[in-house]
Amino acid sequence: MTGINFHGIWAIYRFEMARTLRTLWQSVATPVITTSLYFIVFGGAIGSRIQDVGGVNYGAFLVPGLIMLTLLTQSISNASIGIYFPKFTGTIFELLSAPISSVELVVGYVGAAATKSVAIGLIILITSACFVDLRVDHPAAMIAFLLLTSVAFSMLGFIIGIWAKGFEQLNFVPALLITPLTFLGGAFYSIDMLPHPWRTVSLFNPVVYLVSGFRWSFFGQGDVGIGWSLGFTAAFLAVCLGLIIAIFRTGYRLKN
């Protein structure tokens, strides 16, 4: 039985991280500026009318949703672009013929994408602390949600990168699916504020469970139970893992 090819994993991981470091200023400046604008617009305009939500200052209430919005979109984009470019340039065949397993290949790409997303999430957290008094009641749970969500959606991005035949398809899921679902998933409001029929409809939005669980780690309260949030995150991670296994077993859009 052969061991794990750590050198191969590290080579992929280092290559992907080096691509980010080449645009380090943009990678850091963009979330800082975006976060500041959210607080100016939402915190200033809406916060003056909504003092608190469930006993939490509205400015602080925004933070988990803002981090989750960025985490989901960045995880998908980083992972999808990372695997799509080798397909686009034809170097994917060199990767597939290299002495590295499919598991090690996925770990390298997904690990790099998740690392970037977590780093941006922490930058947003630090930036937010400059605008509002922020507390984290359950720091271990916050880190766990941060890691699990970034890994799960980096896997989804990896799947999208393999599935996409062009840049239009590459941007389809983050722009037209994930972002709207996040806005409608209680990122900037509590679904308890909605009329009864729409609150029930919101429970069918999977992002509600991610945002709620992440917000619970900050303030000890959420729109749904923490058990449901953890269960959904674990289930989504398992589904993405199963799809990736199926892709490499069948060679879907990799070997043809």
Side-chain angles (χ1 to χ4, degrees), residues 127-146:
T127 304
S128 301
C130 298
F131 289 89
V132 294
D133 292 328
L134 201 58
R135 75 174 198 264
V136 182
D137 291 348
H138 307 281
M142 188 270 285
I143 296 297
F145 265 106
L146 203 63

Side-chain angles (χ1 to χ4, degrees), residues 64-142:
L66 183 57
I67 294 175
M68 190 58 65
L69 171 63
T70 306
L71 197 70
L72 300 187
T73 54
Q74 286 292 321
S75 296
I76 292 174
S77 297
N78 289 330
S80 61
I81 291 173
I83 191 62
Y84 177 78
F85 269 108
K87 282 180 53 187
F88 181 74
T89 59
T91 55
I92 186 69
F93 300 107
E94 297 178 7
L95 286 170
L96 294 174
S97 61
I100 184 171
S101 69
S102 57
V103 174
E104 293 159 351
L105 184 71
V106 172
V107 169
Y109 279 108
V110 170
T115 300
K116 300 173 197 175
S117 302
V118 170
I120 292 174
L122 293 176
I123 290 172
I124 293 175
L125 181 64
I126 294 170
T127 304
S128 301
C130 298
F131 289 89
V132 294
D133 292 328
L134 201 58
R135 75 174 198 264
V136 182
D137 291 348
H138 307 281
M142 188 270 285

Side-chain angles (χ1 to χ4, degrees), residues 21-249:
L21 293 175
R22 287 194 292 269
T23 58
L24 182 61
W25 172 246
Q26 179 182 345
S27 300
V28 173
T30 300
V32 171
I33 295 172
T34 303
T35 302
S36 302
L37 289 174
Y38 268 106
F39 276 105
I40 293 171
V41 176
F42 281 89
I46 301 177
S48 61
R49 293 170 173 81
I50 304 176
Q51 295 300 319
D52 61 73
V53 179
V56 177
N57 176 269
Y58 183 70
F61 181 86
L62 284 176
V63 176
L66 183 57
I67 294 175
M68 190 58 65
L69 171 63
T70 306
L71 197 70
L72 300 187
T73 54
Q74 286 292 321
S75 296
I76 292 174
S77 297
N78 289 330
S80 61
I81 291 173
I83 191 62
Y84 177 78
F85 269 108
K87 282 180 53 187
F88 181 74
T89 59
T91 55
I92 186 69
F93 300 107
E94 297 178 7
L95 286 170
L96 294 174
S97 61
I100 184 171
S101 69
S102 57
V103 174
E104 293 159 351
L105 184 71
V106 172
V107 169
Y109 279 108
V110 170
T115 300
K116 300 173 197 175
S117 302
V118 170
I120 292 174
L122 293 176
I123 290 172
I124 293 175
L125 181 64
I126 294 170
T127 304
S128 301
C130 298
F131 289 89
V132 294
D133 292 328
L134 201 58
R135 75 174 198 264
V136 182
D137 291 348
H138 307 281
M142 188 270 285
I143 296 297
F145 265 106
L146 203 63
L147 294 175
L148 287 174
T149 303
S150 61
V151 170
F153 278 81
S154 292
M155 285 185 175
L156 177 60
F158 187 88
I159 295 168
I160 293 170
I162 292 176
W163 163 76
K165 291 183 177 180
F167 288 98
E168 295 81 6
Q169 290 183 336
L170 202 66
N171 295 319
F172 174 79
V173 174
L176 298 180
L177 188 61
I178 298 300
T179 300
L181 284 178
T182 305
F183 274 95
L184 296 173
F188 305 114
Y189 61 91
S190 170
I191 65 171
D192 289 334
M193 300 167 68
L194 298 174
H196 177 65
W198 293 110
R199 186 187 185 281
T200 303
V201 170
S202 295
L203 294 176
F204 290 92
N205 181 351
V207 178
V208 166
Y209 299 88
L210 297 173
V211 174
S212 177
F214 195 54
R215 184 169 285 130
W216 177 89
S217 69
F218 280 79
F219 312 118
Q221 62 185 46
D223 292 324
V224 297
I226 184 61
W228 285 103
S229 297
L230 286 171
F232 173 80
T233 306
F236 185 77
L237 186 67
V239 169
C240 290
L241 184 60
L243 288 174
I244 289 175
I245 291 172
I247 285 171
F248 279 100
R249 283 183 176 177

